[in-house]
Amino acid sequence: MDKATLRQQTIQALSQMPADQRQAASERLYQALWTSPQWRAAQTVATTLSSAIELNTQPIIARAQAEGKTVAVPQTRPHRQMAFRPLTATTTLMTTKFGLQEPQDGPIIAPADFDLIVVPGLKFATTGERLGFGGGYYDRYLPQTTGYKVALALPAQQASQPSWPVEDFDVVLDAVLNA
Ligand SMILES: Nc1nc2c(c(=O)[nH]1)N(C=O)[C@@H](CNc1ccc(C(=O)N[C@@H](CCC(=O)O)C(=O)O)cc1)CN2
Ligand SMILES: Nc1ncnc2c1ncn2[C@@H]1O[C@H](COP(=O)(O)OP(=O)(O)OP(=O)(O)O)[C@@H](O)[C@H]1O
């Protein structure tokens, strides 16, 4: 299937997921993440500030902070680049024209400093291939990282293998958690 059609279908399926099912699947995904050795070992974690259709990342952020980990979230820059800045009680957030919240201040954390990167996206194959929202931001960013790259896939986001064209620049994830 072409990427644009699959993106539309997945957005639709995510937005139609009953709240109780979403909640239950999300809980299983958080537990799978938190019990992983990569989570336990991580000092510095990259994640996102999720939009309504995505897995809610707030529990991940809160847990990481409670455990004393540094949590950083992306700010989009020109030329489809991202800068990750720490998320703290004093971080200034601004909403972009795409409705995403982004940090405006604080130091930029170097990509190689992350131990764990929770990667967003629309569809994830168990074998690690990923279909994102189409900006190519993570395709550019992930090659600069060295940490463990993991995605948390709600039922509507799971695929046993990619049903979309995988390209040379697509970075294969280290793990896809399913629930
Ligand atoms: N919560 C969350 N934050 C995230 C991401 C994400 O997937 N989830 N991103 C993951 O990458 C980055 C933002 N991704 C974006 C992807 C596409 C467009 C965008 O420009 N969309 C245009 C179409 C552009 C085009 O046609 O080239 C649009 O929707 O009109 C913007 C941001 C960084 N922050
Ligand atoms: N490393 C790269 N260098 C240059 N262009 C790239 C690179 N990676 C992706 N692109 C371009 O970015 C565009 C979007 O790529 P793609 O459709 O794979 O995005 P995506 O993985 O869905 O998005 P994202 O990574 O932001 O979630 C494509 O037009 C692609 O050519």
Side-chain angles (χ1 to χ4, degrees):
M1 189 181 300
D2 72 273
K3 289 191 189 184
T5 307
L6 188 55
R7 284 191 183 104
Q8 279 177 7
Q9 278 189 6
T10 308
I11 289 170
Q12 169 110 353
L14 281 172
S15 62
Q16 289 175 350
M17 196 172 171
D20 56 338
Q21 283 177 31
R22 176 182 275 267
Q23 182 61 35
S26 300
E27 277 305 329
R28 291 193 294 271
L29 290 170
Y30 301 143
Q31 292 303 329
L33 178 67
W34 294 335
T35 54
S36 71
Q38 292 82 9
W39 172 272
R40 291 180 197 272
Q43 274 305 314
T44 306
V45 176
T47 183
T48 55
L49 291 166
S50 51
S51 63
I53 64 155
E54 295 178 300
L55 177 91
N56 182 8
T57 55
Q58 278 305 331
I60 298 173
I61 292 165
R63 175 87 172 215
Q65 290 174 335
E67 292 181 1
K69 302 181 195 298
T70 297
V71 183
V73 294
Q75 177 183 35
T76 53
R77 311 293 283 299
H79 311 295
R80 308 270 174 182
Q81 303 289 316
M82 291 189 289
F84 281 76
R85 300 179 188 274
L87 188 62
T88 71
T90 60
T91 304
T92 307
L93 296 175
M94 213 185 71
T95 304
T96 68
K97 60 176 172 168
F98 301 110
L100 293 173
Q101 284 195 297
E102 297 190 343
Q104 302 300 308
D105 50 15
I108 293 174
I109 299 185
D113 287 350
F114 291 109
D115 305 307
L116 181 74
I117 303 139
V118 180
V119 181
L122 279 170
K123 201 93 184 176
F124 306 101
T126 320
T127 40
E129 296 85 356
R130 154 181 180 277
L131 178 71
F133 287 87
Y137 289 96
Y138 277 84
D139 293 329
R140 288 177 178 77
Y141 191 82
L142 290 176
Q144 308 166 58
T145 67
T146 51
Y148 190 76
K149 300 177 277 294
V150 62
L152 280 62
L154 291 165
Q157 299 179 291
Q158 300 169 8
S160 55
Q161 54 188 33
S163 61
W164 60 93
V166 176
E167 296 171 270
D168 289 342
F169 55 73
D170 285 322
V171 176
V172 177
L173 305 175
D174 294 308
V176 174
L177 307 180
N178 286 341

